[in-house]
Amino acid sequence: MVDKLVTMNDYHKIPKLGFGVYQVPPDDTQRVVGDAFEVGYRHIDTAAGYRNELGVGRALKSSGLQRAEVFITTKLYNDSHGYQETLDAFEASSTALDLDYVDLYLIHWPRPTADRFVESWYAFEALRDQGRIRSIGVSNFRVPDLEKLAANSTTIPVVNQIELHPYFQQEELREYHLAHDILTESWSPIGQGAVLGEPLLAKIGKRYGKTAAQVVIRWHIDLGIIVIPKSSHRDRMAENFDVFDFSLTADEISSIRSLQTGQRTGFDPSEFEGLWN
Ligand code: NAD
């Protein structure tokens, strides 16, 4: 039996492969997430900033799945940094999702010029202690942000969700995470589709009867990274989920290292203060 779960530093488990809903329109979200559940996904990654938490909650309610079978992540919106602001924002997310608890709550961006994420983190700890959140983590944090958190709190984030794909491999952050018991979680794991034309990925895929997308998703998993690809199309959802019957060799993994270009697809956390992601 392939182990599809990984244990976080707080001893809760998270499915290695999840389904992201960034840019899924609110009106489509219930259908899209319902399809993802039918395909087999049990881990959904949403955010207050995606404005589609309501659809995620509705999809769960109508799926017939038990709450404990599903892992739901949501994120603190950029305009809600600060202690009380965070408590209020969590209340809104929790109401939209219609959940008694959230599995994982993330600070979506560090917002360096606002410089209030430590206050938000204290609210995260309080909500976790009240049982409203199981696990707490961060997203788009750079090494100095993680060090600032460590200097001000004894709670280590369970994950740091960052942009990571073959063009942007984040080796420095991955090493820091490994040394500090933080799991790396990749957003835009297939570079929003940009990496899929790479001949190397097709060549590797041919050996296993797999597509370039499946090779990239498996690459994340083989590196010990949690991965949350998105697609609104059911056939691609199924394709992206069908990655548990093969694995890459050490040579294949190191060959993919050569695809690194340093090219981001999304915002740079050192600069991004915006209200939407
Ligand atoms: P992604 O890398 O998952 O790419 C998604 C796009 O790739 C799809 O819209 C589709 O065009 C294409 N695609 C998907 N599967 C395919 C397949 N099998 N074959 C061909 N094309 C395929 O990009 P993403 O949606 O940006 O990232 C995934 C998730 O990460 C998001 O939905 C969201 O949950 C999360 N995310 C988080 C942040 C953050 O700041 N924390 C930022 C961006 C995304």
Side-chain angles (χ1 to χ4, degrees), residues 31 34-36 38-39 231-239:
R31 191 277 298 167
D35 281 355
E38 284 179 19
V39 161
S231 175
S232 295
H233 304 284
R234 197 183 164 113
D235 52 345
R236 285 180 172 171
M237 290 178 200
E239 176 186 333

Side-chain angles (χ1 to χ4, degrees), residues 20 22 45 50 139-140 161 187-188 190 192 228 230 240 277:
Y22 176 42
D45 182 86
Y50 303 167
S139 176
N140 297 300
Q161 184 186 114
W187 63 254
S188 295
I190 55 174
Q192 298 201 326
I228 47 169
K230 173 244 164 189
N240 296 348
N277 168 41

Side-chain angles (χ1 to χ4, degrees), residues 55-241:
V56 172
R58 285 183 179 160
L60 176 54
K61 283 274 169 337
S62 58
S63 68
L65 292 166
Q66 299 296 310
R67 174 68 187 89
E69 292 176 78
V70 177
F71 189 101
I72 306 285
T73 301
T74 193
K75 312 185 191 86
L76 178 74
Y77 188 42
N78 285 344
D79 68 352
S80 303
H81 284 210
Y83 190 87
Q84 188 58 45
E85 292 88 338
T86 298
L87 296 180
D88 294 345
F90 178 76
E91 217 45 58
S93 284
S94 164
T95 301
L97 286 163
D98 195 15
L99 295 177
D100 294 337
Y101 67 89
V102 165
D103 294 277
L104 176 59
Y105 199 37
L106 305 178
I107 299 179
H108 204 149
W109 293 89
R111 302 200 61 211
T113 58
D115 195 20
R116 296 188 70 189
F117 65 72
V118 173
E119 293 170 57
S120 291
W121 191 246
Y122 294 151
F124 272 44
E125 292 177 320
L127 289 161
R128 178 205 53 196
D129 293 347
Q130 291 163 20
R132 306 289 309 279
I133 307 169
R134 290 271 160 93
S135 298
I136 59 178
V138 295
S139 176
N140 297 300
F141 272 41
R142 305 156 305 163
V143 169
D145 304 321
L146 294 168
E147 285 182 338
K148 182 164 190 168
L149 214 51
N152 286 283
S153 163
T154 52
T155 310
I156 306 165
V158 291
V159 305
N160 186 16
Q161 184 186 114
I162 54 176
E163 177 172 354
L164 200 162
H165 45 74
Y167 289 160
F168 195 69
Q169 300 192 13
Q170 297 266 29
E171 293 194 352
E172 184 199 358
L173 263 174
R174 272 160 51 204
E175 272 171 34
Y176 183 94
H177 294 164
L178 199 60
H180 293 85
D181 207 12
I182 299 167
L183 289 171
T184 303
E185 180 170 14
S186 300
W187 63 254
S188 295
I190 55 174
Q192 298 201 326
V195 304
L196 299 181
E198 286 293 339
L200 173 64
L201 301 173
K203 187 173 139 200
I204 295 172
K206 218 170 162 198
R207 292 178 200 144
Y208 302 101
K210 294 289 177 183
T211 64
Q214 290 168 324
V215 169
V216 177
I217 292 164
R218 189 66 223 186
W219 171 77
H220 289 276
I221 293 172
D222 287 336
L223 287 173
I225 297 172
I226 300 156
V227 57
I228 47 169
K230 173 244 164 189
S231 175
S232 295
H233 304 284
R234 197 183 164 113
D235 52 345
R236 285 180 172 171
M237 290 178 200
E239 176 186 333
N240 296 348
F241 196 73

